[in-house]
Amino acid sequence: MTIALLGTGLLGSAIATRLLGCGHTLTVWNRKPERCQPLVDLGAQQANSPALAAAQADWLITVLSDGPTTQSVLIDQVGDALRGRRVLQIGTIGPAESQQLADAVHALGGSYLEAPVLGSRPEALEGNLQLMAGGPDELMEEALPLLRQLSQKPVHLGPVGAAMTTKLALNQLIASLTHAFSLSLHLVQQGGVAVEPFMDLLRSSALYAPTFDKKLQRELSGDYSNPNFPTAHLRKDLDLFMAAAQQAGLNSEGLSGLAALLQRSSAAGLDELDYCALHQLTAGQTAAATPD
């Protein structure tokens, strides 16, 4: 296939690398052109604009930071070049934003499938992302050969909005589980309890989630570098979940404290670090009391 990929951040660059490894002809674009160079070294072509990237593509894949950015790039910059193009929108945005984007793409003569993923750079490179799709049945069928190179089992959840709703529901669990584990870990340590006996009890209980062990060493060592999913993205996705929950008439006030906590990550210098760096925020006064 001839594919254009817009957005070569952590996830986008990994997806692009995977597609090149599968033998596709790939054109890439990023608002920071230097971020395309590693992909050019692997055989991708680099476009000077989103419209030029889309011009000859069978599929146009977007992996951009948020809804407004995706709208700006696809509708304002690609614009009329969307006619006859099939868009695969992977970036996490709100369900309502996704529907608005689909309507705008259709108005310009293109077709639109939302396809957010669970997983990050390692899974993308291996083609093991958990991919959920929302959009027309016939477009899903057309996309399957491509989707199966990114995910072993792509799941079609329904019309546009269904996949983004599911993605936000899953990312809310990432935020809540990480927050809950961080607080518990701090408390047992402050109480003088050794970490391993606590973890042994947790692992053998119904309370255990694998993400606890996945993040344990980072939290114990305080090393949050080389993220696959940064704190700023977790904050953005939790805010999107709360907005969607409010629109659905749900009571999400229990998440307000966590959302407020994550608002402090920028000033704390945690935005570009791994999302479990929120462990520094839950430390509260104990962080200041920790000796150098």
Side-chain angles (χ1 to χ4, degrees):
M1 299 180 191
T2 300
I3 300 169
L5 187 141
L6 309 179
T8 57
L10 288 170
L11 180 60
S13 63
I15 289 173
T17 301
R18 172 69 179 175
L19 294 173
L20 287 168
C22 292
H24 297 295
T25 300
L26 184 68
T27 301
V28 295
W29 173 86
N30 194 287
R31 59 185 174 180
K32 296 181 178 179
E34 65 275 11
R35 292 191 175 182
C36 294
Q37 189 57 50
L39 297 168
V40 172
D41 293 341
L42 292 175
Q45 299 295 314
Q46 183 172 357
N48 292 326
S49 72
L52 288 174
Q56 303 299 323
D58 298 319
W59 285 94
L60 179 56
I61 299 177
T62 56
V63 197
L64 297 162
S65 57
D66 54 35
T69 300
T70 306
Q71 178 87 14
S72 173
V73 170
L74 265 185
I75 307 307
D76 300 337
Q77 298 183 56
V78 177
D80 290 338
L82 283 169
R83 183 165 301 279
R85 305 279 174 253
R86 295 171 292 183
V87 174
L88 194 63
Q89 206 300 100
I90 291 178
T92 302
I93 64 177
E97 289 178 313
S98 191
Q99 184 60 66
Q100 291 168 3
L101 194 57
D103 292 343
V105 170
H106 293 155
L108 288 165
S111 53
Y112 177 92
L113 189 73
E114 61 181 19
V117 299
L118 196 62
S120 53
R121 186 172 178 83
E123 292 81 10
L125 292 171
E126 297 169 1
N128 286 329
L129 293 166
Q130 290 180 271
L131 187 148
M132 53 214 89
D137 292 344
E138 60 274 16
L139 189 59
M140 179 66 184
E141 287 299 317
E142 293 175 14
L144 272 176
L146 175 57
L147 299 182
R148 285 176 176 148
Q149 293 179 334
L150 303 176
S151 171
Q152 292 188 10
K153 191 178 179 181
V155 179
H156 188 208
L157 293 168
V160 170
M164 287 301 168
T165 297
T166 304
K167 169 64 171 171
L168 293 182
L170 292 166
N171 279 22
Q172 184 273 133
L173 289 172
I174 294 174
S176 292
L177 286 170
T178 303
H179 180 232
F181 178 66
S182 172
L183 279 172
S184 292
L185 183 60
H186 276 309
L187 185 64
V188 296
Q189 287 184 291
Q190 289 300 313
V193 178
V195 171
E196 268 312 302
F198 164 70
M199 290 302 301
D200 285 343
L201 287 166
L202 179 58
R203 291 180 188 116
S204 61
S205 76
L207 306 173
Y208 178 70
T211 188
F212 299 156
D213 268 311
K214 185 176 180 181
K215 297 302 180 182
L216 177 61
Q217 288 308 311
R218 279 190 180 271
E219 292 176 347
L220 292 177
S221 68
D223 182 4
Y224 307 109
S225 59
N226 301 313
N228 292 315
F229 186 52
T231 307
H233 289 187
L234 185 69
R235 179 178 66 243
K236 181 262 293 183
D237 291 354
L238 183 64
D239 288 345
L240 287 173
F241 174 89
M242 293 181 69
Q246 183 177 18
Q247 187 174 11
L250 304 178
N251 184 343
S252 62
E253 64 185 6
L255 293 173
S256 298
L258 176 53
L261 186 74
L262 287 170
Q263 288 297 327
R264 294 166 50 195
S265 70
S266 296
L270 306 179
D271 275 4
E272 301 307 315
L273 300 178
D274 188 88
Y275 65 87
C276 70
L278 68 83
H279 192 57
Q280 290 190 9
L281 300 176
T282 58
Q285 294 179 352
T286 65
T290 301
D292 292 336

